[in-house]
Amino acid sequence: MKEQAKKRALLLLNGELPTPEEIREESVGYEFLVSADGASDILWQAGVIPDLIVGDLDSISKKARRIFEEKSVRFLRFSPEKDKTDGHLAVETLIEEGMKEIFVYGAMGGRWDQSLGNLGLLSQALKHDIDLVFLSSNNRMTCKKPGKYIFPYRRGWYFSLLAYSDRVEEIDLKGARYELRQAVIKKGDTIGISNEYRGDIKLSFKKGDLLIIESRFDRH
């Protein structure tokens, strides 16, 4: 039986966002497009219509809101006095919608408290076996459970590993400039930062949760 394709969603939060032109290009190929409150403005600027806007609607511009209402975009409004951030509510909504891969722009940058809170959402995704990937113009970040993974070669990108749980054990890393064999990375260790691709990277580990961060650099 042919494996069913994973349902993919693109989510925009109100942190550091790419240009409207980049958003226009990156918004293609997803089953579901969601923005959280003020992040909806960049979709309006890009001429892209979301499927859903989530939040307390205190930071979306009046013009963007009016246009999206005229386009019959669905709004999921919450009280400003709530126990979860707009990003948290948006991720929960996408999980309820059956999304298995959620790609997020704007999770990092801007307010530090919001950025750190968004990092906590990675654990929520792991609990539901959801691939949650944070994106910017020059970075990709995700969190993985124990297993075996392959990351296709990215010329001009760093490849970094950080412990998300207290410790990650029996890490094997091949295809990078600095390879690892049965390594342990503890929370707070920086040994896994600024590695580089030498080809496709093969990663495996047997205990803990691991942050994988890919970052573009300018070397030619």
Side-chain angles (χ1 to χ4, degrees):
M1 182 181 294
K2 186 177 180 181
E3 184 177 353
Q4 188 175 4
K6 291 183 177 180
K7 297 178 70 175
R8 292 157 44 96
L10 180 63
L11 169 62
L12 271 64
L13 303 181
N14 206 17
E16 180 183 342
L17 290 165
T19 64
E21 291 75 17
E22 289 177 289
I23 289 295
R24 191 180 304 117
E25 293 176 1
E26 293 295 326
S27 62
V28 177
Y30 296 92
E31 282 75 23
F32 212 59
L33 175 57
V34 179
S35 57
D37 208 346
S40 308
D41 280 19
I42 198 167
L43 290 178
W44 164 61
Q45 294 166 20
V48 176
I49 307 300
D51 297 294
L52 175 67
I53 295 174
V54 176
D56 52 32
L57 307 185
D58 65 346
S59 55
I60 184 175
S61 67
K62 292 181 179 179
K63 189 169 185 178
R65 181 173 177 177
R66 176 177 57 79
I67 288 173
F68 289 142
E69 286 176 340
E70 291 173 353
K71 297 290 185 180
S72 299
V73 171
R74 182 159 63 103
F75 285 78
L76 189 58
R77 185 173 186 175
F78 294 88
S79 168
E81 297 181 0
K82 56 188 185 298
D83 295 330
K84 298 177 181 178
T85 63
D86 290 342
H88 194 164
L89 294 167
V91 168
E92 285 188 341
T93 300
L94 287 169
I95 291 173
E96 291 171 1
E97 292 283 346
M99 299 298 122
K100 294 300 182 183
E101 293 181 323
I102 304 172
F103 296 83
V104 186
Y105 278 103
M108 310 302 292
R111 284 175 49 181
W112 288 11
D113 55 348
Q114 294 279 353
S115 296
L116 290 172
N118 289 334
L119 280 176
L121 298 179
L122 293 167
S123 65
Q124 299 294 321
L126 287 178
K127 291 176 183 176
H128 292 88
D129 291 321
I130 305 295
D131 290 329
L132 183 63
V133 183
F134 292 165
L135 304 171
S136 75
S137 298
N138 297 302
N139 298 277
R140 294 172 60 94
M141 176 167 58
T142 191
C143 190
K144 295 294 187 184
K145 293 179 177 180
K148 297 181 179 180
Y149 305 95
I150 296 178
F151 296 84
Y153 174 65
R154 288 179 178 269
R155 185 176 182 272
W157 287 68
Y158 290 118
F159 185 89
S160 299
L161 302 175
L162 290 166
Y164 188 75
S165 54
D166 288 338
R167 56 189 286 133
V168 184
E169 300 179 6
E170 298 186 57
I171 304 169
D172 286 340
L173 183 68
K174 297 180 180 179
R177 181 176 181 180
Y178 305 105
E179 297 192 340
L180 297 174
R181 174 65 179 167
Q182 296 294 287
V184 173
I185 297 179
K186 301 175 185 177
K187 184 173 286 187
D189 287 348
T190 57
I191 188 174
I193 291 179
S194 295
N195 211 333
E196 298 177 21
Y197 280 90
R198 286 292 182 262
D200 292 350
I201 285 181
K202 296 180 180 179
L203 168 69
S204 66
F205 60 101
K206 294 185 178 179
K207 186 176 180 181
D209 298 326
L210 190 63
L211 280 174
I212 296 99
I213 304 171
E214 299 165 280
S215 301
R216 194 193 310 268
F217 59 86
D218 296 326
R219 187 185 306 160
H220 297 292

